[in-house]
Amino acid sequence: MKKNSKFLKAVLAFLCVAVVIEIFGFNSGFFTTLKNKEEGVSLTASESIKTADGKTFTLPEYSPNGTQEAYFEIKDINKNVNTLYLDLTPSYKGELNGACFDVYMMDEGHSGYYFCTSVKLHPSYEKTKYIRLHSYGRIKSIKLNVLDGDYSSINTEIKSGNISLNPRVPMFFSVIRVLLIIILLTVIYMFRPSSSLYLRGAFDEGRRLRLLRLLFMTANIGIVAFLIINNLTFANPSNAAYRQYNLLAEAICSGRLDIEVPHGELMKEVASPYDYFARQAVLQSHGIFVEREPWWDVAYFGGKFYVYFGIVPALIFFIPVYAIFKTHMIMSAAVLIVCSLIVVVSYAFVDTLISIYFRKTSFGVRLFSSVILANCTGVVLFSMLPTIYYIVILMSILFVMAGLMLWMKAAELLKNGEKAKKALAEIAAGSLCMALVAGCRPQFLLASVLIIPIFKDVAFRNKRLVIKGNISKYLSVAIPYAVVAAGLMYYNYARFGSPFDFGANYNLTTNNMPLRGFNLARLKDGLFAIIAQPPSMSMRFPFVLPVEFFSDYVGKTVRENTYGGVLFTACYILFLFMLRRVKPQLKEKKLYTFVILCILISFVTACADIELSAILTRYIGDFLYLLIIGSIMVMLALYEKEGHKKQIVFAMLALTFITLFFAFFASFNHTTFAPGSTEGYYRIYSLFT
């Protein structure tokens, strides 16, 4: 009763703190503009923007080589202005949209326009329409440049409502924001070093702790669902590059393996199909100007187009849905299912790891380890972009974690000499999961090497391989791999004439894949970018920015935005630097080799991705889960060795929250502003303005 009273008092205190932050922090503009006297003004548009009544503006159509500048001006102001109110309603084909402008001002201190910053607004979120200005004396005029790359192609119409200077900013009290602050403070309070959660054994849980763990897991899935549901751009996209599994489902149900793509007949005119510029030249010669070519990221071989992404996601989701219901599976729904399963399996994996190897740890550490594994292996980022690129990585992570968990359970049963049939079943199920990753993303097959430390004691006696007595176990491993391999080899042979050819070299992208080759000079930049590159930060949402990329590599570097190396953005893995300190403990538990292999497999995978493909943020998902698993093992061993010390708990909390911060906010840079997704984006964006 006393503990409950203490907790309730803490939550009440957090409520007071949250309300104070909400009123005097997020709503400071209400107090600073109380004495303002509002004055209405009108907008003047540039020549490239068409208008008939001065209230409805039509922006120039998209053109790949367009040079027309689209902007609005507020002229002849000549007064002190601290706030600008923009009641603009951007739309695309009748759908409300967001807008982004570069703000320029001319004032007493400047006889010409100078750049201030960029601002975002959405008609559904009133607070985004109020812009605080900080000029050098009286403002002469304001210029709002429509961002060319993102907005002139989609905001085909902008309606102007009330535009005013020096309005009074109303109070935008957000209950959701208050609740989020309370939840954050409560979680920090719950996991503080003196928390009672660390006084209970990992599995010494009563009804309340079981409910708490279930609450965390449910909230975790809820957050993932919220992110996916509010990013509707990819719910049912028209771009063929995002619908490949649906196209494959149609083809297979029609007895074919090749897919139909828009303007596919024109590929016969391309002299060198894998040359990006040659493909673009043919499209443009036929008057086809698109932001993304219709053949993007498909394999082209023997005059036909194929899906080069692994077939397993199609077999599990897309083909059955099309075959049974004659409709297409929505990619975002498949991603939601897989992400939810990853959360569940992450919690189960940590439970298995602790129940077998670290039973001396506490419930608090068990719960926190589950949170880090469930969220920081790429799930948050992939929830933001539910496309074909991410479903293959997500399913690979799911299968590997499930496979490792089943293998660990089987090894423990065999070690205790009980339930041999159940152990064989779990070995076979784990092997099937591990083998299926070859049909998702083949790089993940390297994780199969982890079977060695898990079953070392079973397979070896006195440093000799034991065959007799282990045949059934070896068959339980080999048969699932053989069955999956046979299916994939047939699939590859039927498409590309070789059982070992997955089609990566026939991919149509900016790379000329057949000629890319292998060049060690690429590794230096790639490894720095994904491991050691410091992040770029900002004081405005989404706080984490893409980092600039400089290189002395004179050649083609294929790279998308990255947000810093994993040593900074997934800094929970810094626990790996404590590996030597807990080496005896991990060796005793037969986990030292496991952790070493996690590090080595991660390094080899990273090198392979850089050499064979590109430097991409999503490729970090190919190995980050292994580094997180290894880090959890080191942290658990350190906690058992040192006991419950404040330094260890503080390190766990700090590294976890920093990792969660980067996992969440870096992902918003990927969220597009295309029609349908903006409202969801601004719903979150407005919470931080």
Side-chain angles (χ1 to χ4, degrees), residues 207-225:
R207 178 172 167 271
R208 290 184 180 180
L209 292 185
R210 283 196 296 271
L211 286 174
L212 177 64
R213 183 174 174 277
L214 181 61
L215 176 63
F216 267 76
M217 189 187 302
T218 304
N220 212 151
I221 294 173
I223 291 171
V224 170

Side-chain angles (χ1 to χ4, degrees), residues 521-555:
R522 298 190 190 111
L523 287 178
K524 171 173 60 72
D525 294 329
L527 290 175
F528 175 75
I530 65 177
I531 296 176
Q533 170 70 58
S536 177
M537 303 287 293
S538 168
M539 284 295 292
R540 62 184 291 182
F541 182 84
F543 310 117
V544 182
L545 304 176
V547 296
E548 293 190 59
F549 181 78
F550 301 99
S551 173
D552 58 3
Y553 176 75
V554 184

